[in-house]
PDB file of all heavy atoms in Angstrom:
ATOM      1  N   LYS A1267     -24.930 -30.595 -30.247  1.00 87.00           N
ATOM      2  CA  LYS A1267     -24.465 -31.937 -29.857  1.00 87.00           C
ATOM      3  C   LYS A1267     -23.236 -32.299 -30.679  1.00 87.00           C
ATOM      4  O   LYS A1267     -23.094 -31.933 -31.837  1.00 87.00           O
ATOM      5  CB  LYS A1267     -25.572 -32.962 -30.073  1.00 87.00           C
ATOM      6  CG  LYS A1267     -26.687 -32.901 -29.029  1.00 87.00           C
ATOM      7  CD  LYS A1267     -27.729 -33.952 -29.269  1.00 87.00           C
ATOM      8  CE  LYS A1267     -27.234 -35.351 -28.911  1.00 87.00           C
ATOM      9  NZ  LYS A1267     -27.135 -35.518 -27.449  1.00 87.00           N
ATOM     10  N   ARG A1268     -22.353 -33.060 -30.068  1.00 86.00           N
ATOM     11  CA  ARG A1268     -21.083 -33.370 -30.714  1.00 86.00           C
ATOM     12  C   ARG A1268     -21.252 -34.245 -31.960  1.00 86.00           C
ATOM     13  O   ARG A1268     -20.446 -34.168 -32.889  1.00 86.00           O
ATOM     14  CB  ARG A1268     -20.160 -34.063 -29.712  1.00 86.00           C
ATOM     15  CG  ARG A1268     -19.721 -33.138 -28.576  1.00 86.00           C
ATOM     16  CD  ARG A1268     -18.725 -33.817 -27.671  1.00 86.00           C
ATOM     17  NE  ARG A1268     -18.323 -32.938 -26.576  1.00 86.00           N
ATOM     18  CZ  ARG A1268     -17.370 -32.027 -26.663  1.00 86.00           C
ATOM     19  NH1 ARG A1268     -16.730 -31.861 -27.804  1.00 86.00           N
ATOM     20  NH2 ARG A1268     -17.070 -31.264 -25.625  1.00 86.00           N
ATOM     21  N   ASP A1269     -22.309 -35.080 -31.991  1.00 85.00           N
ATOM     22  CA  ASP A1269     -22.505 -35.946 -33.159  1.00 85.00           C
ATOM     23  C   ASP A1269     -23.291 -35.246 -34.266  1.00 85.00           C
ATOM     24  O   ASP A1269     -23.617 -35.847 -35.289  1.00 85.00           O
ATOM     25  CB  ASP A1269     -23.202 -37.237 -32.754  1.00 85.00           C
ATOM     26  CG  ASP A1269     -24.564 -37.001 -32.101  1.00 85.00           C
ATOM     27  OD1 ASP A1269     -25.027 -35.830 -32.068  1.00 85.00           O
ATOM     28  OD2 ASP A1269     -25.166 -37.966 -31.612  1.00 85.00           O
ATOM     29  N   GLY A1270     -23.636 -33.985 -34.079  1.00 84.00           N
ATOM     30  CA  GLY A1270     -24.339 -33.223 -35.105  1.00 84.00           C
ATOM     31  C   GLY A1270     -25.838 -33.394 -35.107  1.00 84.00           C
ATOM     32  O   GLY A1270     -26.526 -32.753 -35.918  1.00 84.00           O
ATOM     33  N   SER A1271     -26.373 -34.236 -34.257  1.00 87.00           N
ATOM     34  CA  SER A1271     -27.827 -34.465 -34.228  1.00 87.00           C
ATOM     35  C   SER A1271     -28.515 -33.423 -33.363  1.00 87.00           C
ATOM     36  O   SER A1271     -27.876 -32.541 -32.782  1.00 87.00           O
ATOM     37  CB  SER A1271     -28.112 -35.866 -33.696  1.00 87.00           C
ATOM     38  OG  SER A1271     -27.624 -35.995 -32.366  1.00 87.00           O
ATOM     39  N   GLU A1272     -29.865 -33.565 -33.301  1.00 88.00           N
ATOM     40  CA  GLU A1272     -30.637 -32.650 -32.461  1.00 88.00           C
ATOM     41  C   GLU A1272     -30.665 -33.167 -31.029  1.00 88.00           C
ATOM     42  O   GLU A1272     -30.408 -34.346 -30.756  1.00 88.00           O
ATOM     43  CB  GLU A1272     -32.071 -32.542 -32.981  1.00 88.00           C
ATOM     44  CG  GLU A1272     -32.202 -32.076 -34.411  1.00 88.00           C
ATOM     45  CD  GLU A1272     -33.660 -32.059 -34.848  1.00 88.00           C
ATOM     46  OE1 GLU A1272     -34.525 -31.782 -33.988  1.00 88.00           O
ATOM     47  OE2 GLU A1272     -33.934 -32.363 -36.018  1.00 88.00           O
ATOM     48  N   PHE A1273     -30.995 -32.272 -30.121  1.00 88.00           N
ATOM     49  CA  PHE A1273     -31.254 -32.686 -28.745  1.00 88.00           C
ATOM     50  C   PHE A1273     -32.600 -33.400 -28.703  1.00 88.00           C
ATOM     51  O   PHE A1273     -33.575 -32.966 -29.338  1.00 88.00           O
ATOM     52  CB  PHE A1273     -31.266 -31.477 -27.801  1.00 88.00           C
ATOM     53  CG  PHE A1273     -29.898 -30.868 -27.608  1.00 88.00           C
ATOM     54  CD1 PHE A1273     -29.549 -29.684 -28.236  1.00 88.00           C
ATOM     55  CD2 PHE A1273     -28.970 -31.493 -26.788  1.00 88.00           C
ATOM     56  CE1 PHE A1273     -28.296 -29.123 -28.060  1.00 88.00           C
ATOM     57  CE2 PHE A1273     -27.710 -30.933 -26.602  1.00 88.00           C
ATOM     58  CZ  PHE A1273     -27.369 -29.748 -27.241  1.00 88.00           C
ATOM     59  N   THR A1274     -32.682 -34.479 -27.966  1.00 86.00           N
ATOM     60  CA  THR A1274     -33.886 -35.310 -27.921  1.00 86.00           C
ATOM     61  C   THR A1274     -34.680 -35.041 -26.654  1.00 86.00           C
ATOM     62  O   THR A1274     -34.237 -34.319 -25.744  1.00 86.00           O
ATOM     63  CB  THR A1274     -33.505 -36.796 -27.976  1.00 86.00           C
ATOM     64  OG1 THR A1274     -32.756 -37.114 -26.781  1.00 86.00           O
ATOM     65  CG2 THR A1274     -32.650 -37.088 -29.207  1.00 86.00           C
ATOM     66  N   GLY A1275     -35.848 -35.682 -26.623  1.00 86.00           N
ATOM     67  CA  GLY A1275     -36.653 -35.593 -25.420  1.00 86.00           C
ATOM     68  C   GLY A1275     -35.959 -36.207 -24.228  1.00 86.00           C
ATOM     69  O   GLY A1275     -36.111 -35.736 -23.084  1.00 86.00           O
ATOM     70  N   ASP A1276     -35.162 -37.280 -24.462  1.00 83.00           N
ATOM     71  CA  ASP A1276     -34.397 -37.882 -23.369  1.00 83.00           C
ATOM     72  C   ASP A1276     -33.341 -36.910 -22.845  1.00 83.00           C
ATOM     73  O   ASP A1276     -33.106 -36.831 -21.636  1.00 83.00           O
ATOM     74  CB  ASP A1276     -33.727 -39.175 -23.853  1.00 83.00           C
ATOM     75  CG  ASP A1276     -34.734 -40.289 -24.099  1.00 83.00           C
ATOM     76  OD1 ASP A1276     -35.862 -40.188 -23.575  1.00 83.00           O
ATOM     77  OD2 ASP A1276     -34.396 -41.242 -24.822  1.00 83.00           O
ATOM     78  N   ASP A1277     -32.695 -36.186 -23.773  1.00 84.00           N
ATOM     79  CA  ASP A1277     -31.720 -35.166 -23.335  1.00 84.00           C
ATOM     80  C   ASP A1277     -32.393 -34.136 -22.439  1.00 84.00           C
ATOM     81  O   ASP A1277     -31.849 -33.738 -21.402  1.00 84.00           O
ATOM     82  CB  ASP A1277     -31.106 -34.482 -24.554  1.00 84.00           C
ATOM     83  CG  ASP A1277     -30.232 -35.427 -25.375  1.00 84.00           C
ATOM     84  OD1 ASP A1277     -29.634 -36.324 -24.769  1.00 84.00           O
ATOM     85  OD2 ASP A1277     -30.172 -35.238 -26.596  1.00 84.00           O
ATOM     86  N   GLU A1278     -33.569 -33.726 -22.852  1.00 88.00           N
ATOM     87  CA  GLU A1278     -34.300 -32.732 -22.054  1.00 88.00           C
ATOM     88  C   GLU A1278     -34.649 -33.285 -20.684  1.00 88.00           C
ATOM     89  O   GLU A1278     -34.516 -32.598 -19.657  1.00 88.00           O
ATOM     90  CB  GLU A1278     -35.562 -32.307 -22.792  1.00 88.00           C
ATOM     91  CG  GLU A1278     -36.402 -31.298 -22.027  1.00 88.00           C
ATOM     92  CD  GLU A1278     -37.671 -30.928 -22.775  1.00 88.00           C
ATOM     93  OE1 GLU A1278     -37.654 -30.936 -24.027  1.00 88.00           O
ATOM     94  OE2 GLU A1278     -38.682 -30.620 -22.093  1.00 88.00           O
ATOM     95  N   LEU A1279     -35.108 -34.550 -20.666  1.00 87.00           N
ATOM     96  CA  LEU A1279     -35.486 -35.171 -19.398  1.00 87.00           C
ATOM     97  C   LEU A1279     -34.287 -35.284 -18.467  1.00 87.00           C
ATOM     98  O   LEU A1279     -34.382 -34.987 -17.276  1.00 87.00           O
ATOM     99  CB  LEU A1279     -36.093 -36.547 -19.669  1.00 87.00           C
ATOM    100  CG  LEU A1279     -36.684 -37.275 -18.457  1.00 87.00           C
ATOM    101  CD1 LEU A1279     -37.837 -36.476 -17.860  1.00 87.00           C
ATOM    102  CD2 LEU A1279     -37.165 -38.677 -18.860  1.00 87.00           C
ATOM    103  N   LEU A1280     -33.138 -35.709 -19.031  1.00 85.00           N
ATOM    104  CA  LEU A1280     -31.937 -35.839 -18.205  1.00 85.00           C
ATOM    105  C   LEU A1280     -31.477 -34.475 -17.683  1.00 85.00           C
ATOM    106  O   LEU A1280     -31.069 -34.339 -16.525  1.00 85.00           O
ATOM    107  CB  LEU A1280     -30.816 -36.486 -19.027  1.00 85.00           C
ATOM    108  CG  LEU A1280     -30.985 -37.963 -19.362  1.00 85.00           C
ATOM    109  CD1 LEU A1280     -29.912 -38.416 -20.345  1.00 85.00           C
ATOM    110  CD2 LEU A1280     -30.923 -38.809 -18.092  1.00 85.00           C
ATOM    111  N   LEU A1281     -31.527 -33.464 -18.543  1.00 86.00           N
ATOM    112  CA  LEU A1281     -31.081 -32.139 -18.125  1.00 86.00           C
ATOM    113  C   LEU A1281     -32.005 -31.553 -17.060  1.00 86.00           C
ATOM    114  O   LEU A1281     -31.551 -30.874 -16.140  1.00 86.00           O
ATOM    115  CB  LEU A1281     -31.007 -31.208 -19.336  1.00 86.00           C
ATOM    116  CG  LEU A1281     -30.199 -29.921 -19.140  1.00 86.00           C
ATOM    117  CD1 LEU A1281     -28.763 -30.234 -18.773  1.00 86.00           C
ATOM    118  CD2 LEU A1281     -30.251 -29.055 -20.388  1.00 86.00           C
ATOM    119  N   ARG A1282     -33.305 -31.835 -17.191  1.00 88.00           N
ATOM    120  CA  ARG A1282     -34.247 -31.364 -16.173  1.00 88.00           C
ATOM    121  C   ARG A1282     -33.960 -32.034 -14.833  1.00 88.00           C
ATOM    122  O   ARG A1282     -34.015 -31.395 -13.772  1.00 88.00           O
ATOM    123  CB  ARG A1282     -35.669 -31.637 -16.614  1.00 88.00           C
ATOM    124  CG  ARG A1282     -36.140 -30.765 -17.770  1.00 88.00           C
ATOM    125  CD  ARG A1282     -37.529 -31.143 -18.232  1.00 88.00           C
ATOM    126  NE  ARG A1282     -38.522 -30.941 -17.185  1.00 88.00           N
ATOM    127  CZ  ARG A1282     -39.809 -31.266 -17.316  1.00 88.00           C
ATOM    128  NH1 ARG A1282     -40.237 -31.802 -18.460  1.00 88.00           N
ATOM    129  NH2 ARG A1282     -40.637 -31.042 -16.329  1.00 88.00           N
ATOM    130  N   ALA A1283     -33.664 -33.352 -14.880  1.00 85.00           N
ATOM    131  CA  ALA A1283     -33.338 -34.058 -13.637  1.00 85.00           C
ATOM    132  C   ALA A1283     -32.071 -33.485 -13.011  1.00 85.00           C
ATOM    133  O   ALA A1283     -31.990 -33.278 -11.787  1.00 85.00           O
ATOM    134  CB  ALA A1283     -33.170 -35.543 -13.919  1.00 85.00           C
ATOM    135  N   LEU A1284     -31.064 -33.199 -13.862  1.00 84.00           N
ATOM    136  CA  LEU A1284     -29.830 -32.616 -13.343  1.00 84.00           C
ATOM    137  C   LEU A1284     -30.083 -31.218 -12.775  1.00 84.00           C
ATOM    138  O   LEU A1284     -29.517 -30.854 -11.738  1.00 84.00           O
ATOM    139  CB  LEU A1284     -28.787 -32.547 -14.456  1.00 84.00           C
ATOM    140  CG  LEU A1284     -27.429 -31.982 -14.041  1.00 84.00           C
ATOM    141  CD1 LEU A1284     -26.730 -32.922 -13.072  1.00 84.00           C
ATOM    142  CD2 LEU A1284     -26.549 -31.726 -15.255  1.00 84.00           C
ATOM    143  N   ALA A1285     -30.928 -30.435 -13.440  1.00 86.00           N
ATOM    144  CA  ALA A1285     -31.225 -29.087 -12.956  1.00 86.00           C
ATOM    145  C   ALA A1285     -31.905 -29.137 -11.592  1.00 86.00           C
ATOM    146  O   ALA A1285     -31.656 -28.281 -10.734  1.00 86.00           O
ATOM    147  CB  ALA A1285     -32.109 -28.356 -13.963  1.00 86.00           C
ATOM    148  N   THR A1286     -32.760 -30.141 -11.389  1.00 85.00           N
ATOM    149  CA  THR A1286     -33.415 -30.284 -10.083  1.00 85.00           C
ATOM    150  C   THR A1286     -32.388 -30.564  -8.991  1.00 85.00           C
ATOM    151  O   THR A1286     -32.413 -29.959  -7.910  1.00 85.00           O
ATOM    152  CB  THR A1286     -34.448 -31.413 -10.134  1.00 85.00           C
ATOM    153  OG1 THR A1286     -35.422 -31.120 -11.141  1.00 85.00           O
ATOM    154  CG2 THR A1286     -35.150 -31.566  -8.789  1.00 85.00           C
ATOM    155  N   ALA A1287     -31.469 -31.506  -9.288  1.00 84.00           N
ATOM    156  CA  ALA A1287     -30.414 -31.807  -8.307  1.00 84.00           C
ATOM    157  C   ALA A1287     -29.510 -30.608  -8.103  1.00 84.00           C
ATOM    158  O   ALA A1287     -29.068 -30.331  -6.981  1.00 84.00           O
ATOM    159  CB  ALA A1287     -29.613 -33.018  -8.780  1.00 84.00           C
ATOM    160  N   ALA A1288     -29.236 -29.881  -9.193  1.00 83.00           N
ATOM    161  CA  ALA A1288     -28.380 -28.701  -9.077  1.00 83.00           C
ATOM    162  C   ALA A1288     -29.024 -27.637  -8.203  1.00 83.00           C
ATOM    163  O   ALA A1288     -28.340 -26.954  -7.427  1.00 83.00           O
ATOM    164  CB  ALA A1288     -28.087 -28.140 -10.463  1.00 83.00           C
ATOM    165  N   GLY A1289     -30.345 -27.466  -8.320  1.00 85.00           N
ATOM    166  CA  GLY A1289     -31.040 -26.492  -7.484  1.00 85.00           C
ATOM    167  C   GLY A1289     -30.869 -26.797  -6.010  1.00 85.00           C
ATOM    168  O   GLY A1289     -30.622 -25.897  -5.195  1.00 85.00           O
ATOM    169  N   THR A1290     -30.976 -28.087  -5.648  1.00 84.00           N
ATOM    170  CA  THR A1290     -30.787 -28.481  -4.250  1.00 84.00           C
ATOM    171  C   THR A1290     -29.355 -28.227  -3.797  1.00 84.00           C
ATOM    172  O   THR A1290     -29.109 -27.710  -2.698  1.00 84.00           O
ATOM    173  CB  THR A1290     -31.137 -29.962  -4.073  1.00 84.00           C
ATOM    174  OG1 THR A1290     -32.488 -30.190  -4.489  1.00 84.00           O
ATOM    175  CG2 THR A1290     -30.984 -30.383  -2.622  1.00 84.00           C
ATOM    176  N   ALA A1291     -28.383 -28.588  -4.665  1.00 83.00           N
ATOM    177  CA  ALA A1291     -26.976 -28.386  -4.308  1.00 83.00           C
ATOM    178  C   ALA A1291     -26.651 -26.911  -4.168  1.00 83.00           C
ATOM    179  O   ALA A1291     -25.918 -26.504  -3.248  1.00 83.00           O
ATOM    180  CB  ALA A1291     -26.078 -29.036  -5.362  1.00 83.00           C
ATOM    181  N   ILE A1292     -27.192 -26.070  -5.060  1.00 83.00           N
ATOM    182  CA  ILE A1292     -26.923 -24.622  -4.997  1.00 83.00           C
ATOM    183  C   ILE A1292     -27.544 -24.028  -3.739  1.00 83.00           C
ATOM    184  O   ILE A1292     -26.933 -23.182  -3.071  1.00 83.00           O
ATOM    185  CB  ILE A1292     -27.465 -23.934  -6.261  1.00 83.00           C
ATOM    186  CG1 ILE A1292     -26.644 -24.355  -7.488  1.00 83.00           C
ATOM    187  CG2 ILE A1292     -27.436 -22.413  -6.113  1.00 83.00           C
ATOM    188  CD1 ILE A1292     -27.226 -23.897  -8.798  1.00 83.00           C
ATOM    189  N   GLU A1293     -28.754 -24.476  -3.401  1.00 83.00           N
ATOM    190  CA  GLU A1293     -29.387 -23.973  -2.170  1.00 83.00           C
ATOM    191  C   GLU A1293     -28.554 -24.335  -0.951  1.00 83.00           C
ATOM    192  O   GLU A1293     -28.350 -23.502  -0.053  1.00 83.00           O
ATOM    193  CB  GLU A1293     -30.796 -24.539  -2.041  1.00 83.00           C
ATOM    194  CG  GLU A1293     -31.531 -24.006  -0.818  1.00 83.00           C
ATOM    195  CD  GLU A1293     -32.918 -24.600  -0.665  1.00 83.00           C
ATOM    196  OE1 GLU A1293     -33.167 -25.671  -1.244  1.00 83.00           O
ATOM    197  OE2 GLU A1293     -33.749 -23.997   0.043  1.00 83.00           O
ATOM    198  N   ASN A1294     -28.048 -25.574  -0.913  1.00 84.00           N
ATOM    199  CA  ASN A1294     -27.200 -25.979   0.216  1.00 84.00           C
ATOM    200  C   ASN A1294     -25.933 -25.134   0.280  1.00 84.00           C
ATOM    201  O   ASN A1294     -25.492 -24.735   1.362  1.00 84.00           O
ATOM    202  CB  ASN A1294     -26.842 -27.459   0.091  1.00 84.00           C
ATOM    203  CG  ASN A1294     -28.031 -28.370   0.319  1.00 84.00           C
ATOM    204  OD1 ASN A1294     -29.006 -27.984   0.965  1.00 84.00           O
ATOM    205  ND2 ASN A1294     -27.974 -29.576  -0.232  1.00 84.00           N
ATOM    206  N   ALA A1295     -25.349 -24.857  -0.889  1.00 81.00           N
ATOM    207  CA  ALA A1295     -24.135 -24.043  -0.920  1.00 81.00           C
ATOM    208  C   ALA A1295     -24.428 -22.622  -0.445  1.00 81.00           C
ATOM    209  O   ALA A1295     -23.628 -22.017   0.270  1.00 81.00           O
ATOM    210  CB  ALA A1295     -23.557 -24.032  -2.330  1.00 81.00           C
ATOM    211  N   GLN A1296     -25.587 -22.077  -0.858  1.00 79.00           N
ATOM    212  CA  GLN A1296     -25.958 -20.734  -0.411  1.00 79.00           C
ATOM    213  C   GLN A1296     -26.183 -20.698   1.090  1.00 79.00           C
ATOM    214  O   GLN A1296     -25.740 -19.768   1.773  1.00 79.00           O
ATOM    215  CB  GLN A1296     -27.216 -20.276  -1.147  1.00 79.00           C
ATOM    216  CG  GLN A1296     -26.999 -19.929  -2.609  1.00 79.00           C
ATOM    217  CD  GLN A1296     -28.270 -19.499  -3.298  1.00 79.00           C
ATOM    218  OE1 GLN A1296     -29.380 -19.927  -2.921  1.00 79.00           O
ATOM    219  NE2 GLN A1296     -28.147 -18.668  -4.307  1.00 79.00           N
ATOM    220  N   LEU A1297     -26.880 -21.721   1.612  1.00 82.00           N
ATOM    221  CA  LEU A1297     -27.121 -21.762   3.052  1.00 82.00           C
ATOM    222  C   LEU A1297     -25.817 -21.891   3.823  1.00 82.00           C
ATOM    223  O   LEU A1297     -25.626 -21.264   4.872  1.00 82.00           O
ATOM    224  CB  LEU A1297     -28.056 -22.925   3.383  1.00 82.00           C
ATOM    225  CG  LEU A1297     -29.493 -22.798   2.878  1.00 82.00           C
ATOM    226  CD1 LEU A1297     -30.275 -24.077   3.158  1.00 82.00           C
ATOM    227  CD2 LEU A1297     -30.198 -21.617   3.528  1.00 82.00           C
ATOM    228  N   PHE A1298     -24.900 -22.713   3.292  1.00 81.00           N
ATOM    229  CA  PHE A1298     -23.595 -22.860   3.950  1.00 81.00           C
ATOM    230  C   PHE A1298     -22.823 -21.550   3.921  1.00 81.00           C
ATOM    231  O   PHE A1298     -22.210 -21.148   4.920  1.00 81.00           O
ATOM    232  CB  PHE A1298     -22.804 -23.968   3.258  1.00 81.00           C
ATOM    233  CG  PHE A1298     -21.405 -24.125   3.791  1.00 81.00           C
ATOM    234  CD1 PHE A1298     -21.167 -24.727   5.013  1.00 81.00           C
ATOM    235  CD2 PHE A1298     -20.321 -23.664   3.063  1.00 81.00           C
ATOM    236  CE1 PHE A1298     -19.879 -24.855   5.511  1.00 81.00           C
ATOM    237  CE2 PHE A1298     -19.031 -23.794   3.551  1.00 81.00           C
ATOM    238  CZ  PHE A1298     -18.818 -24.396   4.769  1.00 81.00           C
TER     239      PHE A1298
END
Side-chain angles (χ1 to χ4, degrees):
K1267 285 181 73 72
R1268 293 185 181 276
D1269 59 6
S1271 62
E1272 302 178 33
F1273 290 104
T1274 65
D1276 290 341
D1277 293 328
E1278 179 182 329
L1279 186 62
L1280 289 172
L1281 196 59
R1282 289 176 63 184
L1284 181 67
T1286 301
T1290 302
I1292 292 171
E1293 183 182 20
N1294 290 337
Q1296 288 179 331
L1297 292 175
F1298 175 75

